[in-house]
Amino acid sequence: MQGKVLIVDDEKSIVDPLTYAFRREGFIVENAFNGKEALDKIPDFKPDILISDIMMPVMNGLDLCKQIGNKEGLGIILLTAKDDIIDRVLGLEFGADDYITKPFDIRELLARTRSLLRRLKKQSTPDEKKSISINKLQVIPAQRKVTVDGSNIELTPKEFDLLVLLISNMDRIFSRDELLDLVWGMEYIGGTRTVDIHIQRLRKKLGNSYQHLIQTVFGVGYKISSETK
């Protein structure tokens, strides 16, 4: 078994061939025809990957992402009929991992799904490092846990991996391309704007006390300075 995939699209002409292709490749597949139906199926089906159209009735793909984007271990790939940067950026901001524009080659979607599964598997492997603390901020890699003043901070898998990479390598400046390679993997087709979006979300979630923890090195990339300790 490759994994469990939930395909969400209001067009049967899209759902049927995708279902056939993924099942032929060894995936367990379930279908939904709008976001609300997908939300109802997720608790029982427990998919590894959600593949969802954006433009759908009842509940669209972006609203679906907002509902489930922070669930640990669930990868999200968005399908969009519009080659629109707004849709792509919003999808990433709401918790999607990847996107593909219609019309697309099913082989490419299969490849991206396998790549995302591999990344999620790596992220679920416990890190041997002990906790890392900066004042009241504590990062525990082995538990994939972040707290500020004792309160848990809910991060998506890639937000967490970004924070761990930066905080484990204080004073090292990472370029956007390096972060894209180390966190998302070389097979990720998205652009470096993905890194900027996740850094912005991290800063917001860490709160006012740590919004300047991740420093922008203009023209280069990002770092966490040891002077923040």
Side-chain angles (χ1 to χ4, degrees):
M1 185 187 76
Q2 295 267 18
K4 297 168 73 175
V5 176
L6 177 59
I7 298 171
V8 191
D9 197 303
D10 62 321
E11 296 184 43
K12 198 171 186 295
S13 61
I14 298 287
V15 172
D16 286 351
L18 286 183
T19 298
Y20 173 79
F22 274 85
R23 284 177 176 165
R24 185 181 60 191
E25 294 298 315
F27 289 89
I28 295 176
V29 182
E30 188 62 73
N31 301 323
F33 294 93
N34 59 65
K36 185 178 184 305
E37 187 179 349
L39 280 178
D40 291 340
K41 289 191 174 185
I42 286 172
D44 291 330
F45 183 55
K46 295 181 174 61
D48 302 299
I49 302 291
L50 173 78
I51 299 173
S52 176
D53 189 22
I54 287 183
M55 300 301 292
M56 295 182 295
V58 185
M59 179 186 288
N60 65 41
L62 295 178
D63 288 335
L64 178 59
C65 279
K66 283 193 285 187
Q67 293 289 327
I68 64 175
N70 287 332
K71 285 187 181 296
E72 182 91 9
L74 175 59
I76 302 175
I77 300 175
L78 288 179
L79 310 177
T80 175
K82 298 184 297 182
D83 189 12
D84 190 340
I85 186 64
I86 299 299
D87 278 349
R88 298 201 297 269
V89 169
L90 283 175
L92 294 170
E93 286 180 341
F94 292 157
D97 299 278
D98 200 356
Y99 59 84
I100 189 167
T101 303
K102 296 178 180 178
F104 54 86
D105 190 312
I106 290 179
R107 292 170 297 181
E108 181 183 355
L109 181 57
L110 282 163
R112 292 197 188 196
T113 301
R114 291 192 187 99
S115 176
L116 180 54
L117 275 171
R118 286 194 293 271
R119 294 201 305 271
L120 292 172
K121 185 176 180 181
K122 287 180 183 178
Q123 291 164 359
S124 65
T125 303
D127 195 304
E128 294 300 321
K129 290 184 178 180
K130 295 181 179 179
S131 65
I132 306 166
S133 298
I134 296 179
N135 298 323
K136 295 182 179 181
L137 169 69
Q138 185 179 41
V139 180
I140 311 173
Q143 298 178 24
R144 301 190 66 81
K145 182 177 180 180
V146 177
T147 64
V148 172
D149 201 16
S151 298
N152 288 335
I153 306 298
E154 296 295 331
L155 302 180
T156 66
K158 275 178 290 305
E159 289 168 357
F160 182 86
D161 289 338
L162 263 177
L163 179 59
V164 169
L165 179 62
L166 290 168
I167 206 169
S168 299
N169 296 275
M170 287 191 185
D171 296 318
R172 176 179 168 182
I173 301 171
F174 289 89
S175 70
R176 290 169 175 82
D177 285 326
E178 283 182 300
L179 292 172
L180 199 63
D181 183 9
L182 293 169
V183 176
W184 280 263
M186 293 181 65
E187 295 169 312
Y188 185 72
I189 304 173
T192 54
R193 175 62 178 155
T194 300
V195 175
D196 296 332
I197 290 169
H198 282 74
I199 292 291
Q200 291 169 14
R201 287 164 52 186
L202 255 178
R203 286 169 172 162
K204 183 176 180 180
K205 289 184 178 182
L206 291 176
N208 293 334
S209 298
Y210 295 96
Q211 62 179 327
H212 301 299
L213 176 70
I214 302 174
Q215 301 174 8
T216 301
V217 182
F218 292 101
V220 184
Y222 297 100
K223 74 169 185 176
I224 291 179
S225 173
S226 58
E227 295 179 2
T228 57
K229 280 194 168 185

